[in-house]
Amino acid sequence: MKNITALYKNSFIEAVKLANKELYTYINNNLSLNDFQYTNQIGFGGDNCLNMDLTAENIFIKHLEKFGNIYSEESGLLSNDKEFTIVIDPLDGSNNFYSNLPYFGTSIALQKNNETIAGFVTNLISGIITYRAFENDIKFFSLEKMEYKNIIEVPKNKISIFERAYNYPKICEKLASNHIKFRTLGAVALSLSNAFNYEFVLYGGNIREFDIAASLYICKDLYIYKTNEYLFITKNEERYNLLKEIIKEF
């Protein structure tokens, strides 16, 4: 961190805010049927891209490419000769967006020497950016008012999140037998980044850098368990130990 100037840090944070603001404004004021059309172009992450995916990616490239290489879920690595790399999921929860299910957002991670040093996850419905940057505390920023805000953290949590639970019926049965209520929300970065609001967030399947880089940095003070197929985050040590044992059974 010592070699990163204050100007770079502040400029990058402001650029991420402005990029998300532009996308937030577009979604709220300028959407058309064309945005919901598939391009039949398979993105770098393996999914069929929506026009909205590419529109969002172009907004982030415009605002952020001067800060480093862009590594995006849609286009892969753009440039490879800069000190920093910016890992982007331009539209986290594309299927939710397509289905008008109000739970989708964006994920931005800044990396240096393959280490994440800043993470930003934006809920494009609430307009709140949750972020941690350059070893500072977690902050919350409102895109509607363009100002920081305080978020009330409830001390006791009733719900857990299990993304892609439909692929793991035996784990679902095990959670149910332990009287653990959970939901599958369909936007991995959003769910992981808000792990402090839930009993835990569990993610199973193909774990991609675009989905997790920003969230892992935001939640780096919590209990984190990661294998090739599973990732979970919790603030509860008891839940951490229980989940580890459940996962090891499968």
Side-chain angles (χ1 to χ4, degrees):
M1 297 294 177
K2 295 179 180 179
N3 297 326
I4 306 174
T5 67
L7 177 61
Y8 180 93
K9 293 177 182 178
N10 293 332
S11 298
F12 182 77
I13 292 170
E14 291 306 308
V16 173
K17 292 176 185 175
L18 290 175
N20 277 290
K21 176 66 172 181
E22 181 175 338
L23 180 56
Y24 178 73
T25 301
Y26 181 91
I27 287 174
N28 280 281
N29 298 324
N30 302 111
L31 277 182
S32 71
L33 187 59
N34 183 61
D35 293 306
F36 294 87
Q37 302 300 312
Y38 283 99
T39 65
N40 294 320
Q41 171 185 327
I42 303 302
F44 185 81
D47 299 325
N48 191 357
C49 298
L50 289 168
N51 283 328
M52 190 67 238
D53 289 311
L54 300 183
T55 296
E57 180 183 67
N58 287 333
I59 289 172
F60 284 115
I61 291 173
K62 178 180 70 175
H63 285 272
L64 301 179
E65 63 179 347
K66 64 184 177 182
F67 294 97
N69 313 306
I70 300 291
Y71 184 41
S72 172
E73 183 183 15
E74 312 309 330
S75 297
L77 185 62
L78 306 175
S79 179
N80 193 26
D81 59 357
K82 297 176 182 175
E83 182 180 8
F84 299 93
T85 296
I86 304 153
V87 181
I88 299 174
D89 185 348
L91 189 59
D92 174 45
S94 295
N95 288 333
N96 287 355
F97 168 82
Y98 181 84
S99 304
N100 283 319
L101 196 163
Y103 189 73
F104 53 86
T106 73
S107 177
I108 308 292
L110 179 66
Q111 297 183 338
K112 182 180 180 183
N113 298 325
N114 295 316
E115 178 185 355
T116 302
I117 56 176
F120 304 76
V121 176
T122 301
N123 185 321
L124 288 171
I125 300 302
S126 67
I128 300 297
I129 304 176
T130 301
Y131 80 90
R132 183 199 294 268
F134 312 109
E135 299 298 336
N136 291 315
D137 293 334
I138 297 174
K139 295 182 179 181
F140 305 94
F141 186 82
S142 168
L143 292 173
E144 182 178 357
K145 297 185 177 181
M146 293 302 284
E147 64 183 24
Y148 289 96
K149 66 174 301 179
N150 294 320
I151 300 293
I152 297 173
E153 185 176 343
V154 180
K156 295 190 70 175
N157 309 106
K158 290 186 175 183
I159 295 295
S160 303
I161 308 298
F162 185 1
E163 293 292 2
R164 298 185 179 169
Y166 43 79
N167 287 329
Y168 302 91
K170 291 184 179 180
I171 294 180
C172 291
E173 290 176 10
K174 194 73 175 180
L175 293 176
S177 71
N178 282 276
H179 308 290
I180 297 173
K181 297 180 180 180
F182 62 88
R183 305 289 186 267
T184 296
L185 302 179
V188 172
L190 267 184
S191 295
L192 290 171
S193 68
N194 285 287
F196 47 81
N197 287 322
Y198 312 119
E199 280 203 82
F200 62 81
V201 178
L202 171 60
Y203 170 36
N206 179 24
I207 297 177
R208 307 174 303 178
E209 189 76 358
F210 318 105
D211 297 320
I212 67 170
S215 298
L216 285 181
Y217 187 76
I218 291 168
C219 295
K220 67 189 185 77
D221 295 335
L222 305 184
Y223 296 97
I224 298 172
Y225 181 82
K226 183 177 179 295
T227 69
N228 290 332
E229 188 177 2
Y230 298 104
L231 167 66
F232 69 79
I233 305 176
T234 178
K235 62 183 179 183
N236 186 308
E237 185 177 8
E238 182 180 340
R239 284 294 186 233
Y240 176 78
N241 292 327
L242 174 62
L243 274 170
K244 276 204 306 185
E245 293 307 310
I246 289 174
I247 287 172
K248 287 176 182 177
E249 292 182 28
F250 304 100

